[in-house]
Amino acid sequence: MKNSEYNSDSLSLSATVAMGTGVMIGAGIFALTGQIAEFSGSYFPAAFFLAAIISSFSAYTYIKMSNKYPSAGGIAMILQKAYGRSTITGASALLMAFSMIINESLVARTFGTYTLQLFEVERDSMWVPVLAVGLIVFAFIVNIAGNKMIGGISKITAVLKIGGILSFAVIIIWVSGLSFTADINVQTAPTTLGKFLAGVALAILAFKGFTTITNSGGEVKDPTRNVGRSIMISLAICLVVYLAVAFAVSSVLSIEQIITAKDFSLAEAARPTFGEYGVVFTVIIAIIATASGLLASVFAVSRMLTMLTKMKLIPHRHFGLPGTLQTHLLIYTVVLAALLATFFDLSRIASLGAIFYLLMDMIIQCGVYAYLRKEIGANGGIIIAAIVLDGFALLAFLIIKGSSDPLILIISGVAITAIFIFEKFYLQRRRNSGEDHQHMKM
């Protein structure tokens, strides 16, 4: 960045919508369709729909807060308004930041997985993390170039990928004669309510990109008007795209086939209708979608971490690196995302992201309900509904993953505990050293 300050009014409504959809349609549809189908069975299109409803309830709180207090790094601002300069504020903000970094690694691995569909390479090839890390480095370089380039690229890629994905879906549905095969000849275990809700929890991860807009509120033109509009427009666009793709995939593949190709189910769905040309087309759209999604996500998380640092909620060491604070945090962000993309597979990355995000969202909703709803003129019933819906989805996900992959729950639990302990000791050290007098509860 050219300076350490945020670039006010640098993101138009269209650029902000493009950035929000960029994050959501990155890995949200390309990587998660098969994984959601693995949980929700033939009801996986309904899982996307319910996830959109839950995300809309959650988004209500973010919109009301952003209208009152537009800010770059908005989630950190919401937490501090609710909980003051406390352990829960810093730790919850870090949970959100880490969930965004986890999403970056998910997007990057999706890029690698789809790209390799063009070649005769095993799905667990070492080229998947190599390509993932390469995309992360590219996203870093573009982010260094500044907001105008990010906004311009986001708008172009948004049109290309949304148009391409919708064309893919409409043609497949049309050719199939509106017949859906995902609910017949199913050899997998029947879907239970718990499994369906676990699928919904993963589908929520496909919509959580709207928080990217919240975190960039201080850089949006006319933020009190455009942040809320861009969030709702982004959610609506993504719901249409996700449902179209879900019905298209289910029209040509059985649930067993979707699950078998869960990391690249869209490419597999293109094969029966279009042959190898369809696979190539799908891969190109996936490359565009994942690349733009990663650009937007890196942009948002670096802003949020910069805000946390300036709020003295997390420490910062420049380690002799040149450039501004934001540049340093961009480097730390992409390094961590690259490590996750290298050592975790898509299923576990998605699970970590879902757990971190749902827990953080519940903490925000509870804080706004308890301390801020009257100040921002929010409807308490809507906030309570968001908390309950999040809670059901998270509980179901934890139960299902506990029986199928308990290690990921252990990793999540250790990571969350470590984040809260770290934040508690960091803030305590600042208070004991007298460094914290000027940072009182807002």
Side-chain angles (χ1 to χ4, degrees):
M1 301 298 170
K2 293 178 180 179
N3 56 59
S4 60
E5 299 301 320
Y6 296 107
N7 299 316
S8 299
D9 299 329
S10 61
L11 294 172
S12 64
L13 175 63
S14 59
T16 308
V17 170
M19 188 170 62
T21 56
V23 174
M24 287 188 264
I25 305 180
I29 193 65
F30 288 98
L32 295 179
T33 297
Q35 296 190 45
I36 294 167
E38 188 173 18
F39 286 114
S40 301
S42 58
Y43 302 104
F44 77 94
F48 276 116
F49 183 79
L50 182 55
I53 299 299
I54 295 174
S55 297
S56 297
F57 275 95
S58 294
Y60 172 80
T61 297
Y62 296 85
I63 291 171
K64 298 295 285 187
M65 284 297 298
S66 294
N67 288 346
K68 182 76 173 179
Y69 305 107
S71 167
I75 287 174
M77 175 274 297
I78 295 172
L79 286 163
Q80 179 152 302
K81 288 284 185 184
Y83 297 107
R85 282 185 46 74
S86 63
T87 298
I88 195 168
T89 295
S92 300
L94 283 176
L95 282 179
M96 182 60 200
F98 281 123
S99 78
M100 295 167 73
I101 294 171
I102 289 167
N103 183 69
E104 291 169 13
S105 62
L106 176 66
V107 171
R109 279 197 74 102
T110 302
F111 168 83
T113 301
Y114 270 82
T115 300
L116 290 182
Q117 296 308 301
L118 299 175
F119 309 96
E120 295 294 329
V121 179
E122 295 294 327
R123 69 172 66 181
D124 57 353
S125 166
M126 64 169 287
W127 283 106
V128 172
V130 169
L131 289 169
V133 172
L135 181 62
I136 290 170
V137 172
F138 169 75
F140 169 75
I141 293 171
V142 174
N143 268 268
I144 287 292
N147 291 8
K148 286 187 177 180
M149 179 171 287
I150 296 167
I153 291 176
S154 294
K155 283 191 278 190
I156 294 170
T157 55
V159 172
L160 290 174
K161 69 184 176 185
I162 292 172
I165 292 171
L166 287 178
S167 298
F168 158 89
V170 170
I171 293 172
I172 288 181
I173 292 173
W174 181 265
V175 171
S176 71
L178 302 178
S179 64
F180 303 104
T181 63
D183 58 347
I184 62 175
N185 298 324
V186 177
Q187 303 298 319
T188 54
T191 301
T192 64
L193 178 60
K195 286 184 177 180
F196 174 75
L197 289 176
V200 171
L202 270 186
I204 290 172
L205 193 62
F207 287 96
K208 83 174 189 68
F210 76 82
T211 58
T212 300
I213 299 171
T214 306
N215 283 335
S216 305
E219 299 180 90
V220 177
K221 294 179 180 178
D222 191 8
T224 56
R225 183 167 178 259
N226 284 336
V227 168
R229 291 172 66 197
S230 57
I231 286 174
M232 297 313 296
I233 291 171
S234 297
L235 288 173
I237 290 173
C238 289
L239 176 59
V240 170
V241 172
Y242 291 166
L243 289 180
V245 168
F247 285 121
V249 170
S250 64
S251 70
V252 293
L253 299 178
S254 68
I255 286 295
E256 281 189 324
Q257 291 172 318
I258 295 171
I259 293 172
T260 299
K262 64 180 180 179
D263 291 346
F264 48 90
S265 55
L266 270 68
E268 194 65 24
R271 214 178 292 272
T273 303
F274 303 109
E276 291 305 314
Y277 291 108
V279 174
V280 172
F281 173 78
T282 306
V283 169
I284 291 172
I285 297 299
I287 289 172
I288 294 171
T290 50
S292 62
L294 191 61
L295 287 177
S297 182
V298 169
F299 174 87
V301 74
S302 66
R303 267 48 176 190
M304 184 176 179
L305 289 173
T306 299
M307 176 65 78
L308 288 174
T309 303
K310 291 184 174 182
M311 291 164 65
K312 307 300 182 184
L313 287 170
I314 59 174
H316 174 257
R317 296 290 184 274
H318 58 74
F319 298 112
L321 294 171
T324 65
L325 173 63
Q326 288 183 8
T327 301
H328 300 165
L329 292 169
L330 272 173
I331 294 171
Y332 306 154
T333 296
V334 299
V335 167
L336 184 54
L339 289 172
L340 287 170
T342 300
F343 295 108
F344 283 76
D345 63 22
L346 283 175
S347 179
R348 283 184 167 166
I349 291 172
S351 297
L352 276 172
I355 293 168
F356 278 28
Y357 172 73
L358 286 169
L359 177 59
M360 182 283 310
D361 189 60
M362 291 177 68
I363 291 172
I364 280 187
Q365 303 291 340
C366 289
V368 172
Y369 179 83
Y371 303 112
L372 297 170
R373 73 180 189 277
K374 293 181 180 178
E375 182 179 335
I376 63 175
N379 184 308
I382 296 176
I383 300 175
I384 290 175
I387 297 169
V388 172
L389 291 169
D390 274 352
F392 275 126
L394 178 59
L395 180 61
F397 188 74
L398 292 175
I399 292 172
I400 297 301
K401 292 302 290 186
S403 62
S404 63
D405 188 12
L407 178 59
I408 199 62
L409 297 191
I410 295 172
I411 293 172
S412 299
V414 170
I416 292 168
T417 301
I419 288 170
F420 273 84
I421 291 174
F422 164 81
E423 193 62 28
K424 178 178 177 61
F425 278 97
Y426 171 70
L427 291 178
Q428 185 64 49
R429 183 186 65 80
R430 285 189 59 85
R431 282 190 287 267
N432 291 341
S433 64
E435 298 175 7
D436 223 14
H437 293 310
Q438 71 275 30
H439 296 282
M440 305 303 291
K441 181 175 180 178
M442 297 177 70

